[in-house]
Amino acid sequence: MAAHKAATSPEFTQITRPQELTADLRRELVDCWVTVSNAGGAVIPYGFSLPPVSAQEVGPALDEIVHALDPRRSRLLVATVDGVLAGWLLLRRDPHPLVAHCGTVNHVQTHTRFRGLGIGAALMRRVVGVARDEMGLERLGLSVRSGLGLEDFYRKLGWVEVGRWPGALRVAPGDDRDDILMSLVL
């Protein structure tokens, strides 16, 4: 019961500049990403092979994300429970003036050992405040892979489906999934 109570109210940290990421946290983020991807999670960035993935593949992708961190444009939001990484996500703003009022949420992950304890929902609730109050964003968007129930998860948090690209994601031969676009007005 104590673990469940702790997990429903994680501590949050924002990483807004590359130099803020410690080597230990980098290792935890890479481990989380590898574990989530290999467990069937929908966090496969461009340039990745399909799972199974390794730390050698994930590390450079994470480094690319970290290198682009900037408090005005890109932040990592990290959730920990008792000092252990429980989940994380990336919040980005496109600098183009036509869409600078909108942000994108990517790489939403809950480490498998913390699944079902509300970490993902807590991250998504927290990112709303960060986006609106700290970055001045007015709308958030994200893209999810159909077939995993993710759209239902986000709908329960107030997100709305605004588009769907049928069969756009090929996760295996003969297994094409829709790419679902979702939005949240802040």
Side-chain angles (χ1 to χ4, degrees):
M1 184 69 160
H4 178 67
K5 182 178 179 190
T8 57
S9 55
E11 291 187 30
F12 296 100
T13 305
Q14 288 185 60
I15 308 296
T16 62
R17 292 181 171 84
Q19 62 271 23
E20 295 172 3
L21 185 70
T22 67
D24 287 342
L25 181 54
R26 181 189 181 278
R27 275 191 295 278
E28 285 188 280
L29 291 168
V30 168
D31 173 68
C32 180
W33 202 342
V34 168
T35 302
V36 168
S37 291
N38 290 341
V43 287
I44 303 169
Y46 297 109
F48 261 41
S49 60
L50 294 175
V53 298
S54 68
Q56 291 72 30
E57 292 171 285
V58 172
L62 179 65
D63 292 341
E64 220 175 282
I65 290 169
V66 170
H67 180 72
L69 293 176
D70 178 292
R72 297 163 306 207
R73 292 188 318 269
S74 181
R75 301 170 180 217
L76 289 178
L77 182 59
V78 176
T80 57
V81 173
D82 297 328
V84 176
L85 179 76
W88 66 280
L89 58 75
L90 175 66
L91 173 61
R92 293 182 305 111
R93 158 191 269 132
D94 190 310
H96 193 285
L98 288 174
V99 292
H101 64 290
C102 299
T104 305
V105 178
N106 294 114
H107 307 295
V108 180
Q109 300 178 41
T110 299
H111 199 290
T112 55
R113 66 180 168 256
F114 290 96
R115 290 256 172 97
L117 301 177
I119 299 299
L123 274 164
M124 293 307 294
R125 285 190 295 273
R126 182 59 161 241
V127 78
V128 167
V130 170
R132 181 188 57 232
D133 303 336
E134 297 179 32
M135 294 179 73
L137 296 170
E138 299 171 21
R139 176 182 298 272
L140 291 175
L142 57 78
S143 174
V144 299
R145 180 192 322 160
S146 68
L148 298 173
L150 297 171
E151 60 272 35
D152 294 334
F153 168 77
Y154 291 111
R155 274 190 200 107
K156 289 177 186 172
L157 294 168
W159 291 73
V160 176
E161 182 177 328
V162 294
R164 186 177 284 250
W165 188 4
L169 306 172
R170 178 159 293 155
V171 296
D175 186 3
D176 293 350
R177 310 280 179 92
D178 294 354
D179 188 11
I180 303 169
L181 306 176
M182 303 192 81
S183 179
L184 180 71
V185 175
L186 303 179

mmCIF file with all atom_site columns, all heavy atoms in Angstrom, residues 32-46:
data_model
loop_
_atom_site.group_PDB
_atom_site.id
_atom_site.type_symbol
_atom_site.label_atom_id
_atom_site.label_alt_id
_atom_site.label_comp_id
_atom_site.label_asym_id
_atom_site.label_entity_id
_atom_site.label_seq_id
_atom_site.pdbx_PDB_ins_code
_atom_site.Cartn_x
_atom_site.Cartn_y
_atom_site.Cartn_z
_atom_site.occupancy
_atom_site.B_iso_or_equiv
_atom_site.pdbx_formal_charge
_atom_site.auth_seq_id
_atom_site.auth_comp_id
_atom_site.auth_asym_id
_atom_site.auth_atom_id
_atom_site.pdbx_PDB_model_num
ATOM 1   N N   . CYS A 1 32 ? 14.943 3.279  -18.801 1.00 0.00 ? 32 CYS A N   1
ATOM 2   C CA  . CYS A 1 32 ? 13.488 3.364  -18.893 1.00 0.00 ? 32 CYS A CA  1
ATOM 3   C C   . CYS A 1 32 ? 13.049 3.211  -20.343 1.00 0.00 ? 32 CYS A C   1
ATOM 4   O O   . CYS A 1 32 ? 12.152 2.422  -20.662 1.00 0.00 ? 32 CYS A O   1
ATOM 5   C CB  . CYS A 1 32 ? 13.005 4.689  -18.310 1.00 0.00 ? 32 CYS A CB  1
ATOM 6   S SG  . CYS A 1 32 ? 11.209 4.916  -18.352 1.00 0.00 ? 32 CYS A SG  1
ATOM 7   N N   . TRP A 1 33 ? 13.690 3.954  -21.248 1.00 0.00 ? 33 TRP A N   1
ATOM 8   C CA  . TRP A 1 33 ? 13.318 3.930  -22.655 1.00 0.00 ? 33 TRP A CA  1
ATOM 9   C C   . TRP A 1 33 ? 13.500 2.538  -23.252 1.00 0.00 ? 33 TRP A C   1
ATOM 10  O O   . TRP A 1 33 ? 12.624 2.034  -23.969 1.00 0.00 ? 33 TRP A O   1
ATOM 11  C CB  . TRP A 1 33 ? 14.140 4.962  -23.409 1.00 0.00 ? 33 TRP A CB  1
ATOM 12  C CG  . TRP A 1 33 ? 13.572 5.423  -24.703 1.00 0.00 ? 33 TRP A CG  1
ATOM 13  C CD1 . TRP A 1 33 ? 12.604 4.825  -25.459 1.00 0.00 ? 33 TRP A CD1 1
ATOM 14  C CD2 . TRP A 1 33 ? 13.938 6.604  -25.408 1.00 0.00 ? 33 TRP A CD2 1
ATOM 15  N NE1 . TRP A 1 33 ? 12.347 5.559  -26.602 1.00 0.00 ? 33 TRP A NE1 1
ATOM 16  C CE2 . TRP A 1 33 ? 13.162 6.658  -26.582 1.00 0.00 ? 33 TRP A CE2 1
ATOM 17  C CE3 . TRP A 1 33 ? 14.862 7.602  -25.174 1.00 0.00 ? 33 TRP A CE3 1
ATOM 18  C CZ2 . TRP A 1 33 ? 13.282 7.676  -27.520 1.00 0.00 ? 33 TRP A CZ2 1
ATOM 19  C CZ3 . TRP A 1 33 ? 14.973 8.624  -26.098 1.00 0.00 ? 33 TRP A CZ3 1
ATOM 20  C CH2 . TRP A 1 33 ? 14.197 8.666  -27.250 1.00 0.00 ? 33 TRP A CH2 1
ATOM 21  N N   . VAL A 1 34 ? 14.621 1.884  -22.951 1.00 0.00 ? 34 VAL A N   1
ATOM 22  C CA  . VAL A 1 34 ? 14.869 0.532  -23.443 1.00 0.00 ? 34 VAL A CA  1
ATOM 23  C C   . VAL A 1 34 ? 13.813 -0.428 -22.902 1.00 0.00 ? 34 VAL A C   1
ATOM 24  O O   . VAL A 1 34 ? 13.210 -1.205 -23.647 1.00 0.00 ? 34 VAL A O   1
ATOM 25  C CB  . VAL A 1 34 ? 16.290 0.061  -23.056 1.00 0.00 ? 34 VAL A CB  1
ATOM 26  C CG1 . VAL A 1 34 ? 16.465 -1.435 -23.294 1.00 0.00 ? 34 VAL A CG1 1
ATOM 27  C CG2 . VAL A 1 34 ? 17.348 0.852  -23.806 1.00 0.00 ? 34 VAL A CG2 1
ATOM 28  N N   . THR A 1 35 ? 13.564 -0.345 -21.600 1.00 0.00 ? 35 THR A N   1
ATOM 29  C CA  . THR A 1 35 ? 12.608 -1.246 -20.960 1.00 0.00 ? 35 THR A CA  1
ATOM 30  C C   . THR A 1 35 ? 11.202 -1.051 -21.516 1.00 0.00 ? 35 THR A C   1
ATOM 31  O O   . THR A 1 35 ? 10.511 -2.019 -21.843 1.00 0.00 ? 35 THR A O   1
ATOM 32  C CB  . THR A 1 35 ? 12.623 -1.030 -19.434 1.00 0.00 ? 35 THR A CB  1
ATOM 33  O OG1 . THR A 1 35 ? 13.959 -1.258 -18.956 1.00 0.00 ? 35 THR A OG1 1
ATOM 34  C CG2 . THR A 1 35 ? 11.664 -1.967 -18.724 1.00 0.00 ? 35 THR A CG2 1
ATOM 35  N N   . VAL A 1 36 ? 10.770 0.204  -21.628 1.00 0.00 ? 36 VAL A N   1
ATOM 36  C CA  . VAL A 1 36 ? 9.424  0.497  -22.137 1.00 0.00 ? 36 VAL A CA  1
ATOM 37  C C   . VAL A 1 36 ? 9.300  0.060  -23.597 1.00 0.00 ? 36 VAL A C   1
ATOM 38  O O   . VAL A 1 36 ? 8.310  -0.570 -23.980 1.00 0.00 ? 36 VAL A O   1
ATOM 39  C CB  . VAL A 1 36 ? 9.098  1.995  -21.950 1.00 0.00 ? 36 VAL A CB  1
ATOM 40  C CG1 . VAL A 1 36 ? 7.846  2.383  -22.718 1.00 0.00 ? 36 VAL A CG1 1
ATOM 41  C CG2 . VAL A 1 36 ? 8.952  2.328  -20.472 1.00 0.00 ? 36 VAL A CG2 1
ATOM 42  N N   . SER A 1 37 ? 10.290 0.378  -24.425 1.00 0.00 ? 37 SER A N   1
ATOM 43  C CA  . SER A 1 37 ? 10.238 -0.023 -25.842 1.00 0.00 ? 37 SER A CA  1
ATOM 44  C C   . SER A 1 37 ? 10.173 -1.530 -25.988 1.00 0.00 ? 37 SER A C   1
ATOM 45  O O   . SER A 1 37 ? 9.360  -2.053 -26.753 1.00 0.00 ? 37 SER A O   1
ATOM 46  C CB  . SER A 1 37 ? 11.470 0.509  -26.588 1.00 0.00 ? 37 SER A CB  1
ATOM 47  O OG  . SER A 1 37 ? 11.424 1.895  -26.708 1.00 0.00 ? 37 SER A OG  1
ATOM 48  N N   . ASN A 1 38 ? 11.004 -2.226 -25.258 1.00 0.00 ? 38 ASN A N   1
ATOM 49  C CA  . ASN A 1 38 ? 11.072 -3.679 -25.387 1.00 0.00 ? 38 ASN A CA  1
ATOM 50  C C   . ASN A 1 38 ? 9.861  -4.377 -24.776 1.00 0.00 ? 38 ASN A C   1
ATOM 51  O O   . ASN A 1 38 ? 9.603  -5.542 -25.078 1.00 0.00 ? 38 ASN A O   1
ATOM 52  C CB  . ASN A 1 38 ? 12.373 -4.208 -24.801 1.00 0.00 ? 38 ASN A CB  1
ATOM 53  C CG  . ASN A 1 38 ? 13.563 -3.813 -25.653 1.00 0.00 ? 38 ASN A CG  1
ATOM 54  O OD1 . ASN A 1 38 ? 13.414 -3.451 -26.829 1.00 0.00 ? 38 ASN A OD1 1
ATOM 55  N ND2 . ASN A 1 38 ? 14.746 -3.858 -25.076 1.00 0.00 ? 38 ASN A ND2 1
ATOM 56  N N   . ALA A 1 39 ? 9.105  -3.658 -23.937 1.00 0.00 ? 39 ALA A N   1
ATOM 57  C CA  . ALA A 1 39 ? 7.869  -4.209 -23.367 1.00 0.00 ? 39 ALA A CA  1
ATOM 58  C C   . ALA A 1 39 ? 6.660  -3.903 -24.255 1.00 0.00 ? 39 ALA A C   1
ATOM 59  O O   . ALA A 1 39 ? 5.527  -4.183 -23.877 1.00 0.00 ? 39 ALA A O   1
ATOM 60  C CB  . ALA A 1 39 ? 7.653  -3.652 -21.965 1.00 0.00 ? 39 ALA A CB  1
ATOM 61  N N   . GLY A 1 40 ? 6.905  -3.283 -25.436 1.00 0.00 ? 40 GLY A N   1
ATOM 62  C CA  . GLY A 1 40 ? 5.814  -3.006 -26.369 1.00 0.00 ? 40 GLY A CA  1
ATOM 63  C C   . GLY A 1 40 ? 5.317  -1.578 -26.347 1.00 0.00 ? 40 GLY A C   1
ATOM 64  O O   . GLY A 1 40 ? 4.321  -1.267 -26.993 1.00 0.00 ? 40 GLY A O   1
ATOM 65  N N   . GLY A 1 41 ? 6.001  -0.707 -25.613 1.00 0.00 ? 41 GLY A N   1
ATOM 66  C CA  . GLY A 1 41 ? 5.597  0.696  -25.554 1.00 0.00 ? 41 GLY A CA  1
ATOM 67  C C   . GLY A 1 41 ? 5.765  1.382  -26.898 1.00 0.00 ? 41 GLY A C   1
ATOM 68  O O   . GLY A 1 41 ? 6.583  0.990  -27.725 1.00 0.00 ? 41 GLY A O   1
ATOM 69  N N   . ALA A 1 42 ? 4.974  2.425  -27.110 1.00 0.00 ? 42 ALA A N   1
ATOM 70  C CA  . ALA A 1 42 ? 4.946  3.125  -28.396 1.00 0.00 ? 42 ALA A CA  1
ATOM 71  C C   . ALA A 1 42 ? 5.882  4.324  -28.384 1.00 0.00 ? 42 ALA A C   1
ATOM 72  O O   . ALA A 1 42 ? 5.489  5.434  -28.714 1.00 0.00 ? 42 ALA A O   1
ATOM 73  C CB  . ALA A 1 42 ? 3.522  3.557  -28.702 1.00 0.00 ? 42 ALA A CB  1
ATOM 74  N N   . VAL A 1 43 ? 7.121  4.133  -27.996 1.00 0.00 ? 43 VAL A N   1
ATOM 75  C CA  . VAL A 1 43 ? 8.090  5.234  -27.903 1.00 0.00 ? 43 VAL A CA  1
ATOM 76  C C   . VAL A 1 43 ? 9.280  4.951  -28.813 1.00 0.00 ? 43 VAL A C   1
ATOM 77  O O   . VAL A 1 43 ? 10.421 4.889  -28.387 1.00 0.00 ? 43 VAL A O   1
ATOM 78  C CB  . VAL A 1 43 ? 8.549  5.480  -26.441 1.00 0.00 ? 43 VAL A CB  1
ATOM 79  C CG1 . VAL A 1 43 ? 7.443  6.127  -25.653 1.00 0.00 ? 43 VAL A CG1 1
ATOM 80  C CG2 . VAL A 1 43 ? 8.994  4.185  -25.774 1.00 0.00 ? 43 VAL A CG2 1
ATOM 81  N N   . ILE A 1 44 ? 8.989  4.796  -30.095 1.00 0.00 ? 44 ILE A N   1
ATOM 82  C CA  . ILE A 1 44 ? 10.014 4.469  -31.078 1.00 0.00 ? 44 ILE A CA  1
ATOM 83  C C   . ILE A 1 44 ? 10.263 5.715  -31.929 1.00 0.00 ? 44 ILE A C   1
ATOM 84  O O   . ILE A 1 44 ? 9.466  6.035  -32.800 1.00 0.00 ? 44 ILE A O   1
ATOM 85  C CB  . ILE A 1 44 ? 9.584  3.288  -31.961 1.00 0.00 ? 44 ILE A CB  1
ATOM 86  C CG1 . ILE A 1 44 ? 9.255  2.073  -31.087 1.00 0.00 ? 44 ILE A CG1 1
ATOM 87  C CG2 . ILE A 1 44 ? 10.666 2.962  -32.978 1.00 0.00 ? 44 ILE A CG2 1
ATOM 88  C CD1 . ILE A 1 44 ? 8.573  0.955  -31.829 1.00 0.00 ? 44 ILE A CD1 1
ATOM 89  N N   . PRO A 1 45 ? 11.346 6.438  -31.670 1.00 0.00 ? 45 PRO A N   1
ATOM 90  C CA  . PRO A 1 45 ? 11.595 7.655  -32.455 1.00 0.00 ? 45 PRO A CA  1
ATOM 91  C C   . PRO A 1 45 ? 12.117 7.320  -33.848 1.00 0.00 ? 45 PRO A C   1
ATOM 92  O O   . PRO A 1 45 ? 12.547 6.199  -34.121 1.00 0.00 ? 45 PRO A O   1
ATOM 93  C CB  . PRO A 1 45 ? 12.656 8.388  -31.647 1.00 0.00 ? 45 PRO A CB  1
ATOM 94  C CG  . PRO A 1 45 ? 13.369 7.323  -30.914 1.00 0.00 ? 45 PRO A CG  1
ATOM 95  C CD  . PRO A 1 45 ? 12.360 6.235  -30.649 1.00 0.00 ? 45 PRO A CD  1
ATOM 96  N N   . TYR A 1 46 ? 12.052 8.327  -34.723 1.00 0.00 ? 46 TYR A N   1
ATOM 97  C CA  . TYR A 1 46 ? 12.600 8.157  -36.060 1.00 0.00 ? 46 TYR A CA  1
ATOM 98  C C   . TYR A 1 46 ? 14.068 7.775  -35.952 1.00 0.00 ? 46 TYR A C   1
ATOM 99  O O   . TYR A 1 46 ? 14.790 8.276  -35.106 1.00 0.00 ? 46 TYR A O   1
ATOM 100 C CB  . TYR A 1 46 ? 12.440 9.441  -36.871 1.00 0.00 ? 46 TYR A CB  1
ATOM 101 C CG  . TYR A 1 46 ? 11.002 9.809  -37.089 1.00 0.00 ? 46 TYR A CG  1
ATOM 102 C CD1 . TYR A 1 46 ? 10.427 10.898 -36.457 1.00 0.00 ? 46 TYR A CD1 1
ATOM 103 C CD2 . TYR A 1 46 ? 10.206 9.037  -37.930 1.00 0.00 ? 46 TYR A CD2 1
ATOM 104 C CE1 . TYR A 1 46 ? 9.093  11.213 -36.654 1.00 0.00 ? 46 TYR A CE1 1
ATOM 105 C CE2 . TYR A 1 46 ? 8.866  9.342  -38.131 1.00 0.00 ? 46 TYR A CE2 1
ATOM 106 C CZ  . TYR A 1 46 ? 8.324  10.440 -37.485 1.00 0.00 ? 46 TYR A CZ  1
ATOM 107 O OH  . TYR A 1 46 ? 7.004  10.737 -37.678 1.00 0.00 ? 46 TYR A OH  1
#
